[in-house]
Amino acid sequence: MKCLNKFIAIALCFIIFINNSNIAYANTDYPIENAESTNDMDVRIYKVPVISNECTGSTITFYGYNGKFYLALDDIKDFTRYKFNESDSQLILGHGIREIRIEKETGHMTDCNCVDQGIIDILEYNGKYLCEGIPMLTYLGADCTVRDGKALEILMPSFTIWEAVMLSFTIWESVIPDYADMYLNRITDCAVDSIVDFSTLSDDLLIPEWMEFFEAQSLSEKELLAKTRAASGYPMKDYVYVDMDHDGLKELIGVADSGDNKPFQTWYCSSDGETCLLIHQNSMLFDDLTIELLEFNYETHVVINSYNLIGTSKEFSIISLKNGEACIKASEEYGYVFMTKSGDILLDVEDYDGIYDPDTLFYSHTWIDTYLCFDGESYKEYIAYEITESEYLKFINAQEIKDRIADELTESDTIELEYTYFKRKNNILHIQCNVHQSSGTIYYGYYTVRYSGDVLDEQFIIPDNQSKEYNPGQMSPRLSYFEAAP
């Protein structure tokens, strides 16, 4: 084991040394809040052709500001195999056992909890956090060159020492306690001087005159609509003109009305109008559609909700934009998706499960909601896990809420209130309360509240698509085919 530790530490020093260029960087020492005044007039957008062994996109978006060229940290991760997360106060880049933390307020960066890189130049623009692109790519181990004057080439090593150590940790963690901490300490002890000083890195690669060839301009809504109509050969039944990747430029997503009983076609037109293509086609016929937007910090997704005016037939597809390419995140899934005013993503599913009448066997039309999330790669469903009444009553305000429900639903012919409880990991709790009447009729419905820790909010949630606190229908643990949210 001692030989293995020594070998990996020496290899780390060597690999980090050969993967970082020796060029100068003029570091800024003003805090981030001084740079947060950037607006659309200050920032210039460049869509640069890119060649990458990690990302399939054809372009990468640079942001020009004060003579420097910035990249979004969320884009940098796609070209470097790093993971990007953020807390309330920090931006975090992770790769194997390596973790780089940047303070949002000051731009102070620390590598592996022990290598202090001081204040780096970081901006916030359109909800994205930006840093100087080429220096950060180089710092993370990428080799950056301009290939034949036509494209930026960004190549990452196929395997890094940080990933090698993580693999070793996975193998040995069951044998040696605190294996990761031991390795991290040994590696950083040997490699502190070899992790390049970020302040020595600069961008001598992107020449302003070359970048001007790729400066992007967004065409007007009217211009993009005309191009989409011309490309599809049909008028648009509905469309949206929106900045999908939050780069300051708007694209157009339109659904073509091809008529003649043909399924809906969804078309994408890039902000400059150069790319206009069919990206999705329904396999079923529907009467109508509604477009919804899902707004996230770094991007906006477009939902195409298709439905029939009679019955429960409805489907949705979700479209995103990444590195200049439209991506289908969900295709013809059952239900209707929208984002509430409070930021929840609801999947609305129709059924006929609101009333049971023993004489007519009548079931009323219902709309039942489940909650989705987007983890940066795919959509997941927050499962509604059933809990016992004793578990429910452990919440503060639980009994008071139950009593209030009983007061609201009990009538002269009520013989029983049947309760069931469902808890989701996104702090949502459902109280199913079925009302049994002496006639044998059963009314099915549920209430929704938020919880924080062990406290239930005293106010019920009224979804944007409903008008009452009591939602008819029968709650179910799962209402989609998406994977469960962790």
Side-chain angles (χ1 to χ4, degrees), residues 124-235:
E124 186 177 4
Y125 173 73
N126 272 8
K128 294 174 177 278
Y129 285 93
L130 316 178
C131 65
E132 275 201 87
I134 298 302
M136 182 57 79
L137 287 169
T138 304
Y139 184 72
L140 299 181
D143 179 38
C144 303
T145 58
V146 173
R147 181 63 60 194
D148 301 325
K150 298 178 180 180
L152 175 64
E153 186 176 73
I154 304 173
L155 300 179
M156 275 292 286
S158 58
F159 207 61
T160 70
I161 192 64
W162 306 104
E163 293 166 314
V165 172
M166 179 58 77
L167 178 61
S168 297
F169 164 64
T170 303
I171 295 172
W172 286 95
E173 64 176 337
S174 60
V175 179
I176 302 175
D178 302 320
Y179 194 75
D181 290 340
M182 179 188 74
Y183 252 148
L184 182 60
N185 289 334
R186 294 200 177 199
I187 286 169
T188 51
D189 284 346
C190 295
V192 166
D193 294 334
S194 297
I195 295 180
V196 69
D197 185 348
F198 193 89
S199 65
T200 66
L201 301 176
S202 69
D203 182 3
D204 291 345
L205 189 63
L206 301 181
I207 307 301
E209 291 76 14
W210 185 71
M211 292 290 284
E212 287 178 3
F213 287 107
F214 309 111
E215 185 169 3
Q217 298 289 337
S218 183
L219 297 183
S220 68
E221 179 178 342
K222 184 177 181 180
E223 290 171 317
L224 290 188
L225 182 58
K227 285 182 175 291
T228 307
R229 284 173 173 167
S232 68
Y234 301 109

Side-chain angles (χ1 to χ4, degrees), residues 386-400:
E386 187 172 344
I387 62 174
T388 64
E389 180 152 10
S390 61
E391 290 174 317
Y392 165 75
L393 290 174
K394 291 179 181 178
F395 284 98
I396 296 172
N397 298 324
Q399 187 61 56
E400 291 82 355

Side-chain angles (χ1 to χ4, degrees), residues 93-366:
L93 288 165
H95 182 70
I97 66 165
R98 187 183 193 185
E99 188 173 79
I100 300 168
R101 293 180 174 267
I102 305 170
E103 297 291 335
K104 289 182 178 179
E105 289 189 4
T106 63
H108 184 264
M109 184 169 80
T110 304
D111 198 336
C112 291
N113 295 319
C114 63
V115 182
D116 190 340
Q117 294 289 5
I119 306 297
I120 73 165
D121 191 4
I122 190 165
L123 310 175
E124 186 177 4
Y125 173 73
N126 272 8
K128 294 174 177 278
Y129 285 93
L130 316 178
C131 65
E132 275 201 87
I134 298 302
M136 182 57 79
L137 287 169
T138 304
Y139 184 72
L140 299 181
D143 179 38
C144 303
T145 58
V146 173
R147 181 63 60 194
D148 301 325
K150 298 178 180 180
L152 175 64
E153 186 176 73
I154 304 173
L155 300 179
M156 275 292 286
S158 58
F159 207 61
T160 70
I161 192 64
W162 306 104
E163 293 166 314
V165 172
M166 179 58 77
L167 178 61
S168 297
F169 164 64
T170 303
I171 295 172
W172 286 95
E173 64 176 337
S174 60
V175 179
I176 302 175
D178 302 320
Y179 194 75
D181 290 340
M182 179 188 74
Y183 252 148
L184 182 60
N185 289 334
R186 294 200 177 199
I187 286 169
T188 51
D189 284 346
C190 295
V192 166
D193 294 334
S194 297
I195 295 180
V196 69
D197 185 348
F198 193 89
S199 65
T200 66
L201 301 176
S202 69
D203 182 3
D204 291 345
L205 189 63
L206 301 181
I207 307 301
E209 291 76 14
W210 185 71
M211 292 290 284
E212 287 178 3
F213 287 107
F214 309 111
E215 185 169 3
Q217 298 289 337
S218 183
L219 297 183
S220 68
E221 179 178 342
K222 184 177 181 180
E223 290 171 317
L224 290 188
L225 182 58
K227 285 182 175 291
T228 307
R229 284 173 173 167
S232 68
Y234 301 109
M236 294 296 109
K237 187 173 181 66
D238 199 3
Y239 70 91
V240 63
Y241 179 65
V242 62
D243 182 2
M244 296 179 66
D245 54 359
H246 292 195
D247 63 355
L249 305 173
K250 292 185 176 182
E251 299 80 25
L252 188 139
I253 296 289
V255 181
D257 186 3
S258 55
D260 301 325
N261 292 321
K262 293 181 179 178
F264 295 141
Q265 295 181 349
T266 303
W267 288 73
Y268 159 75
C269 195
S270 61
S271 57
D272 59 5
E274 293 298 316
T275 301
C276 200
L277 48 84
L278 175 67
I279 58 173
H280 187 269
Q281 180 165 323
N282 284 22
S283 58
M284 293 178 58
L285 292 174
F286 288 97
D287 297 330
D288 207 350
L289 67 97
T290 300
I291 295 179
E292 300 277 0
L293 299 180
L294 306 180
E295 300 278 358
F296 303 103
N297 287 339
Y298 300 102
E299 56 190 317
T300 295
H301 293 181
V302 177
V303 186
I304 309 297
N305 288 296
S306 306
Y307 48 84
N308 287 326
L309 299 177
I310 299 176
T312 61
S313 294
K314 55 173 60 177
E315 291 181 348
F316 67 91
S317 298
I318 304 178
I319 305 160
S320 70
L321 185 67
K322 193 68 174 177
N323 299 314
E325 294 189 356
C327 307
I328 306 300
K329 293 298 183 182
S331 176
E332 298 184 277
E333 298 286 344
Y334 178 65
Y336 186 106
V337 168
F338 66 99
M339 180 173 277
T340 67
K341 295 175 182 177
S342 58
D344 294 312
I345 305 173
L346 261 60
L347 166 57
D348 184 74
V349 176
E350 289 189 51
D351 209 331
Y352 288 90
D353 61 352
I355 302 174
Y356 169 71
D357 187 318
D359 297 325
T360 64
L361 300 180
F362 174 73
Y363 284 81
S364 67
H365 198 178
T366 58

